Amino acid sequence: MESTLLIPSPAPQPTRIIVEPEDVVARLLSLNAVLNEDMLLEANQRGFEARLDVTRAHAPTAAGTYHWHAFVAALRLSLVEQGWMMRDERNCPLVISPDRAMAIVVMTGNSDTGKTFGNPTNQADKGAVLDEAVQRNVQYQLFEASALAKLRKGGGTQLWVLLYHVESGSNGAKEIRTELSLPSEFQRKRIANWSERIILRPMSTEPSTPVVAPIPTVPFDVPVERKTGT
Amino acid sequence: MTVNPSRIEFARTRRRWTKTRLATELGVQSRAIQGYEAGEYEPEPERLEKLAVLLGFPVEFFSGPDLARISEHSASFRSMSKMSAALRDSALNAGSLAFVLNSWIENRFKLPTAELPDLSDLSPEDAAATLRRMWGLGQAPISNMIHLLESKGIRVYSLAIEAREVDAFSVWHEGTPFVFLNTFKSAEHSRFDAGHELGHLVRDRHSMLHGKAHSPEMEREANAFASAFLMPRDDVVARRPSLVTVPQLIDLKGYWGVSLAALAYRMNSLELVTEWTYRTLCIDIAKKGYRTKEPQPIRHETSQVLSKVFDALRQEGVRKADIATELSLTVDELNALTFMLTLSSVSSGIDGEAAADSPRRGTKLRLV
């Protein structure tokens, strides 16, 4: 059964969803030795920090764009330090693993991003680069994993999307959800289906413990006693 | 009136004046200053008066007995390496004047006596945790570092030196530990300085009492002690925000009463943030100018002992000018040593409400 070519089935493949923390760790590691959840989330955090620089004087879209720009730069810098390569495919910023097996692109997702159930997709319309990449992704899915490994040596690169969404809660705190997912269908400028979704843990901007009023310890009393007759 | 030559030299170095500068301003040869200070000859009365005005001391000051001098090695300075000898001597001389004021106060008031353990065999982290346990502080943030030190028998006086290099120093004098804090630093910075000096007093007692030079290692360890004492490990771990950003740390730093940079450093040393996050935080803190100007600053701490003493004296009708006259010092000199507390202050002893409403003290002080 080694290099069996599968016949494409007309029905969409079920999406493989990975959500348990230990599964996420293992799956990221199997994709590439340097991929880990903390690093991906930290790059996203850099984006979130950039978002905080926005004031009312900024354009209404500034927060979102600042986030994306800083996220992209942080992710690429971190991975390039570990041997990955940067490539800008028709203005689409990619970062590619040393063995060229995978490329990652950062995108904003809709509110279903990072949720086990639902239909996450890209928030903004995407064009030809993504369309072609998804086509390529689909091609490789037609093969058994073992055959795929051989094929990759020939230069097949899977495009993974690092999708994130910032949701505002009622108390002003925000939740940031992130997933690294492999798109399998592209329709009307949107990703319509995924063959695999690796859901990272959500980040909350709320402090883990509420901060108590400043300096709460009891006051120190220093006894000062007047001596008599001096 | 006999002039004490050592007091001329003392007054001059207190003001950081060179012999040449004093000679020029006084209209005499440099050699003459040398002569005054060596006791070869006395300045004429008119000349002494002019010298007293120039150096900001009452004429009577120059006929007093020798002052207790602090040797450079028995005092622990933060960032000693960056400091000039002139700056150091000026600060040490301020310390000597504080001894004079302190013994005047202790003749009239009973103050707590020092009860400091020797924790020199413990690491800075363990010494800080041990001292907290011995003093029953638990994991709680320290409400007021100066009051804490004073309640443990440490005398705390202020320096008003407008120089970045002078943070604080501590010294043992006749069995009593003294800490001097520069009021020109931010309140957060001063609290850290107080912790740093406390670290020296409990961990470096031996070398301080025996006049051994302070090594850079001792300074690093005193910083580590201050960091651990102000921000206890478990409490910091428990309060780590899920997202460590500058705005989150600004919210959190007031809880421990530390600077933004000190909190970021502590989080990094406890490995609560990745090196990458820490690097980003440092760049962000510097970029926003928070290293020089603390965001959301806390109120300056002042001495509880001195405000209680001054309150008691005020009720007896004793003015600060009276104390100054008795000690042959100027009121400005006393103010510089006593956190600018005034005898007319209405603040209560224990971190009074009145103090909360008053503007930050000490910031308008000119270099004396």
Side-chain angles (χ1 to χ4, degrees), chain B residues 65-174:
Chain B
D66 284 357
L67 289 158
R69 303 295 281 265
I70 306 169
S71 90
E72 57 170 294
H73 289 320
S74 61
S76 86
F77 276 97
R78 274 190 74 185
S79 53
M80 175 74 110
S81 52
K82 285 181 264 168
M83 200 181 350
S84 70
L87 201 52
R88 180 197 64 212
D89 291 344
S90 172
L92 291 177
N93 286 2
S96 295
L97 296 178
F99 294 161
V100 174
L101 172 62
N102 188 71
S103 67
W104 186 92
I105 291 172
E106 291 206 41
N107 281 336
R108 287 156 185 82
F109 293 87
K110 192 176 176 310
L111 307 181
T113 43
E115 36 174 311
L116 295 185
D118 183 353
L119 303 174
S120 52
D121 54 340
L122 296 179
S123 72
E125 188 81 35
D126 290 345
T130 303
L131 192 61
R132 271 184 163 270
R133 209 170 305 128
M134 293 174 83
W135 286 355
L137 300 169
Q139 295 271 325
I142 310 296
S143 58
N144 188 312
M145 279 299 284
I146 294 181
H147 295 180
L148 173 64
L149 265 51
E150 288 183 328
S151 73
K152 299 301 172 189
I154 300 169
R155 306 287 177 261
V156 185
Y157 287 89
S158 61
L159 298 167
I161 298 181
E162 204 170 356
R164 202 167 42 83
E165 302 91 322
V166 182
D167 297 293
F169 72 93
S170 55
V171 67
W172 291 85
H173 177 64
E174 293 170 355

Side-chain angles (χ1 to χ4, degrees), chain A residues 18-229:
Chain A
I18 297 166
V19 68
E20 292 304 321
E22 56 274 18
D23 296 341
V24 169
V25 171
R27 179 62 182 134
L28 289 175
L29 198 65
S30 76
L31 282 171
N32 188 283
V34 304
L35 280 187
N36 69 76
E37 190 175 21
D38 285 346
M39 186 269 293
L40 297 174
L41 290 180
E42 202 161 330
N44 198 355
Q45 185 178 316
R46 291 292 98 77
F48 180 74
E49 287 159 12
R51 177 182 280 266
L52 300 176
D53 286 335
V54 169
T55 67
R56 279 193 64 194
H58 286 75
T61 53
T65 44
Y66 278 20
H67 188 141
W68 183 77
H69 281 293
F71 189 177
V72 169
L75 178 77
R76 297 215 290 181
L77 283 171
S78 172
L79 285 172
V80 165
E81 270 181 8
Q82 304 185 71
W84 288 48
M85 296 157 287
M86 285 190 287
R87 202 170 83 200
D88 297 316
E89 182 91 25
R90 278 168 281 175
N91 279 338
C92 181
L94 304 174
V95 59
I96 299 166
S97 63
D99 61 0
R100 296 181 186 274
M102 71 184 296
I104 299 176
V105 63
V106 176
M107 276 181 208
T108 52
N110 66 3
S111 60
D112 278 356
T113 301
K115 289 180 176 169
T116 320
F117 304 101
N119 299 300
T121 187
N122 44 300
Q123 186 81 43
D125 289 352
K126 301 292 169 193
V129 176
L130 187 61
D131 193 4
E132 286 163 25
V134 173
Q135 298 302 328
R136 229 174 14 245
N137 281 353
V138 174
Q139 269 180 25
Y140 292 117
Q141 277 155 39
L142 303 181
F143 299 91
E144 285 283 353
S146 55
L148 195 63
K150 280 187 184 171
L151 231 155
R152 271 184 188 157
K153 286 178 192 153
T157 303
Q158 278 189 329
L159 181 80
W160 288 74
V161 177
L162 193 50
L163 205 63
Y164 70 99
H165 181 79
V166 180
E167 190 154 288
S168 296
S170 49
N171 58 353
K174 291 185 167 68
E175 185 181 68
I176 307 163
R177 292 191 299 273
T178 319
E179 58 178 89
L180 183 65
S181 301
L182 185 63
S184 59
E185 201 182 327
F186 188 75
Q187 273 177 6
R188 294 190 198 93
K189 305 193 172 184
R190 301 278 160 137
I191 294 165
N193 208 353
W194 308 87
S195 50
E196 182 172 345
R197 294 173 60 210
I198 306 170
I199 297 176
L200 310 184
R201 63 171 190 271
M203 295 189 287
S204 166
T205 62
E206 215 177 354
S208 46
T209 325
V211 176
V212 192
I215 321 292
T217 41
V218 287
F220 303 103
D221 183 43
V222 190
V224 174
E225 212 181 295
R226 186 75 167 98
K227 290 179 181 171
T228 47

Side-chain angles (χ1 to χ4, degrees), chain B residues 20 31 41 63 65 82 127 168 198 216 232 239 257 266 269 271 273 283 296 305 343 348 357 361:
Chain B
T20 319
R31 182 67 193 84
Y41 38 87
S63 57
K82 285 181 264 168
L198 180 61
R239 286 173 195 279
R266 180 67 171 151
S269 64
E271 294 178 2
V273 294
I283 294 167
Q296 294 186 21
V305 166
L343 276 172
S348 72
D357 301 328
R361 292 184 166 108

Side-chain angles (χ1 to χ4, degrees), chain A residues 211-216, chain B residues 141-143 188 191 248-260 263 294-298:
Chain A
V211 176
V212 192
I215 321 292
Chain B
I142 310 296
S143 58
E188 291 84 353
R191 276 171 63 88
Q248 291 283 6
L249 293 188
I250 289 176
D251 285 346
L252 210 49
K253 78 187 185 77
Y255 176 74
W256 287 292
V258 295
S259 70
L260 186 58
L263 179 54
E294 196 61 38
Q296 294 186 21
I298 58 171

